[in-house]
Each structure stands twice: as structure tokens, then as C-alpha cells.
């Protein structure tokens, strides 16, 4: 058989042979990450509380020739998270990457007005969830010698924001959890990084704010607009890929210049 290295190179995709889980992949940033990963060759687990959203993303991936499975999950439930990782191993035999992205904005109001249950729910969905995810993902990755994890923080992982204290607290905490996990597993071949998007036009942001507020938010970004989900996915894929082989334990902004001010 004629061997043509140039053809071989062009046929090889960056995530060929890799399996990646994306949580909150039924919409917004997570959906963009799942679609780009599948387009780059990954077998992708599209996990979301909203199963019909996840199934729609899988349908788009399959229509584009990619391989994905939808999975219904509540990331705030450790049993559900463990079942997601078990499903991934039984479906695809290995786990190479994860994007821990599922989250909620929580109520917009001053801290003292938060109810105890409202506060706890944001911590459960945005923060405890990522502990559950990494706990089971890392155990799975260690079976095959390594992997890469991206935890979806926010520009609000370093900056404060009025009337979003619970969200801001969880996104700051994710940065610290990311650094510690990176230190613990870097010698075992697992890289862990956090991504800090500015305000991105997704259902999470659009549902929480009216058009005038969105325009005001856009103005906070020196680039002069809100970000797009695919712009966050571009950075996330880079961090998951072997191109980022020397990058771990760090927090990477994709914020249109927001934090430079
Ligand atoms: P963004 O893309 O900005 O993070 P979205 O609201 O578009 O905002 O996406 C967040 C995703 O996380 C949604 O698809 C939502 O269904 C999902 N999600 C929210 N809570 C949970 C949960 N407890 N378990 C799993 N997925 C969740």
C-alpha cells in the first residue's frame, strides 16, 4: 500500500482516539465545547440536566459526522456524577478529558437577601459539583495514565460583581481547587486548568438580564461586545489538547480585555 505521510497528517484530528466528558453541554459554552471536541475527533459525552438539550447537541454532532452520547445528569448529586463517569467508561473504555462547565447564575440580589437554601444551591451546583466530577474523573484517568481537565470558572473567578455573591464565591473557589488538584496530579500525567470567560451571550446571561443590561455589560469589555461561546471553546480545546502539555494549575482568561482595566 502506498504510504503518503501528507495525507496521513491531514486525516489525523487532534482528539482522535480520545474520550471527553462535557457537563452542562446542552447549551451555551458547554454545547460549543462538545461540538468542537467532536469535530476534532473526540468521542464526546454530552452531559446535562436538560436531556433534550443534550440530545439536540448530539444530533448536531452526528449530523456533522462526529461521535457523541447524551447523558442526563445532575452535577450536584455525587451518585449521578459517578454514574456519568461509569457510563463513559462502559461506552468508550477510557476517559482522557473533561470540561466541568455546568452551572447556574443564582439569584441576583445583595448577599444579606439570599435565603440559606438559595445560597447552598449555588454552591452545590457550581462548586461541590466540580469536586464530585474531578473525584471520579481523576480516578478514571489514572487507569489509563493521564488526562486533562478544564474547570469553567469566570472573569468573576478574580473580580467581584454586585448582586452575585454566591456565583462569585463559587467561581473564585474553582480557581483554588484547580490549582491544588493540578499540584497533586501533575506527576501522574493529569493537567488541570481553569478558564475565565467574560460575559458570554448564552441562555444563562440572557435569561438573567434585559437587553439594556446586556448592552451595559457589553460596554464593560474593551473589545466592546459580549463574547461568543465558540470563543471560549477555542481556548478550552487548546488547554485540553497536547499543545498545552506544559500548562497546568493556571487560570486563563477569555474576557475581551475585561480584567485588564
Ligand atoms: P453558560 O453556557 O454560560 O454556562 P448556560 O445556561 O447556557 O450557561 O449553560 C449551563 C448549562 O448547565 C445548561 O445547559 C444547564 O442545563 C446546565 N445545568 C445547570 N444546572 C445543572 C445541573 N445541576 N446538572 C447538570 N447540568 C446543569
Amino acid at each position: 500500500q502506498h504510504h503518503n505521510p501528507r495525507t496521513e497528517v491531514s486525516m489525523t484530528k487532534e482528539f482522535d482516539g480520545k474520550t471527553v466528558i462535557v457537563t452542562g453541554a446542552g447549551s451555551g459554552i458547554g454545547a460549543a465545547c462538545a461540538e468542537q471536541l467532536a469535530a476534532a475527533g473526540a468521542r464526546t459525552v454530552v452531559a446535562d440536566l436538560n436531556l433534550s438539550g443534550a440530545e439536540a447537541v448530539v444530533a448536531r454532532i452526528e449530523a456533522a459526522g462526529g461521535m457523541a452520547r447524551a447523558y442526563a445528569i445532575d452535577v450536584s448529586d455525587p451518585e449521578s456524577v459517578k454514574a456519568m463517569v461509569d457510563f463513559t467508561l462502559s461506552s468508550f473504555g477510557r476517559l482522557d478529558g473533561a470540561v466541568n462547565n455546568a452551572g447556574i447564575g443564582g439569584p441576583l440580589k445583595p448577599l444579606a437577601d439570599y435565603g440559606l437554601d438559595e445560597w447552598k444551591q449555588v454552591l452545590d451546583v457550581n462548586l461541590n459539583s466540580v469536586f464530585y466530577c474531578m473525584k471520579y474523573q481523576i480516578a478514571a484517568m489514572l487507569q489509563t495514565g493521564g488526562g486533562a481537565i478544564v474547570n469553567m470558572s469566570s472573569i468573576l473567578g478574580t473580580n467581584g460583581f454586585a448582586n452575585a455573591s454566591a456565583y462569585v464565591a463559587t467561581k473564585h473557589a474553582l480557581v483554588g481547587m484547580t490549582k491544588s488538584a493540578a499540584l497533586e496530579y501533575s506527576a501522574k500525567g493529569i493537567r488541570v486548568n481553569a478558564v475565565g470567560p467574560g460575559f458570554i451571550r448564552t441562555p444563562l446571561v440572557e435569561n438573567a438580564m434585559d437587553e439594556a443590561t446586556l448592552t451595559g455589560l457589553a460596554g464593560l469589555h474593551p473589545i466592546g461586545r459580549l463574547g461568543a461561546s465558540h470563543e471560549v471553546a477555542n481556548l478550552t480545546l487548546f488547554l485540553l489538547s497536547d499543545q498545552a502539555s506544559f500548562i497546568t494549575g493556571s487560570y486563563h482568561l477569555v474576557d475581551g480585555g475585561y480584567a485588564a482595566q
Side-chain angles (χ1 to χ4, degrees):
Q1 199 70 28
H2 180 64
H3 179 77
N4 184 340
R6 288 188 65 185
T7 311
E8 210 163 89
V9 167
S10 67
M11 299 294 283
T12 303
K13 294 182 186 165
E14 189 137 43
F15 287 87
D16 275 346
K18 292 191 175 177
T19 299
V20 183
I21 293 173
V22 184
T23 70
S27 106
I29 293 168
C33 290
E35 289 182 50
Q36 288 193 26
L37 282 161
R43 295 167 300 196
T44 308
V45 175
V46 178
D48 205 290
L49 189 62
N50 170 9
L51 181 60
S52 59
E55 284 171 343
V57 171
V58 167
R60 286 206 294 274
I61 287 172
E62 287 175 343
M67 191 189 294
R69 299 284 299 273
Y71 192 79
I73 190 191
D74 178 354
V75 289
S76 67
D77 172 4
E79 289 304 319
S80 178
V81 171
K82 184 174 187 303
M84 169 187 72
V85 174
D86 289 345
F87 168 83
T88 305
L89 294 178
S90 62
S91 300
F92 298 124
R94 55 185 297 123
L95 179 64
D96 304 283
V99 183
N100 296 321
N101 161 82
I104 54 174
L108 285 174
K109 55 186 169 184
L111 184 146
D113 293 349
Y114 267 74
L116 300 181
D117 288 343
E118 289 175 329
W119 180 269
K120 282 185 184 149
Q121 196 203 358
V122 178
L123 265 71
D124 275 341
V125 175
N126 288 7
L127 177 60
N128 293 333
S129 61
V130 178
F131 163 64
Y132 308 143
C133 283
M134 287 208 287
K135 177 174 172 59
Y136 297 113
Q137 290 160 356
I138 287 169
M141 287 173 179
L142 289 174
Q143 293 175 22
T144 46
I149 296 173
V150 169
N151 295 322
M152 201 55 69
S153 179
S154 164
I155 186 62
L156 305 185
T158 45
N159 291 41
F161 199 76
N163 299 318
S165 55
Y167 183 87
V168 171
T170 61
K171 294 302 180 179
H172 275 63
L174 288 186
V175 174
M177 204 197 302
T178 296
K179 290 176 182 173
S180 290
L183 297 176
E184 291 157 5
Y185 296 100
S186 56
K188 298 197 165 116
I190 300 175
R191 296 182 299 100
V192 190
N193 289 287
V195 163
F199 288 87
I200 308 299
R201 251 198 189 270
T202 67
L204 189 147
V205 167
E206 284 180 332
N207 295 339
M209 294 158 191
D210 59 29
E211 211 42 51
T213 311
L214 288 175
T215 304
L217 269 185
L220 296 176
H221 301 75
I223 284 184
R225 61 172 173 84
L226 299 176
S229 293
H230 72 87
E231 294 174 310
V232 181
N234 290 341
L235 174 59
T236 302
L237 260 75
F238 175 76
L239 291 170
L240 287 177
S241 79
D242 291 338
Q243 290 188 63
S245 48
F246 200 55
I247 303 178
T248 197
S250 43
Y251 165 65
H252 304 265
L253 296 173
V254 47
D255 72 344
Y258 188 110
Q261 300 166 101

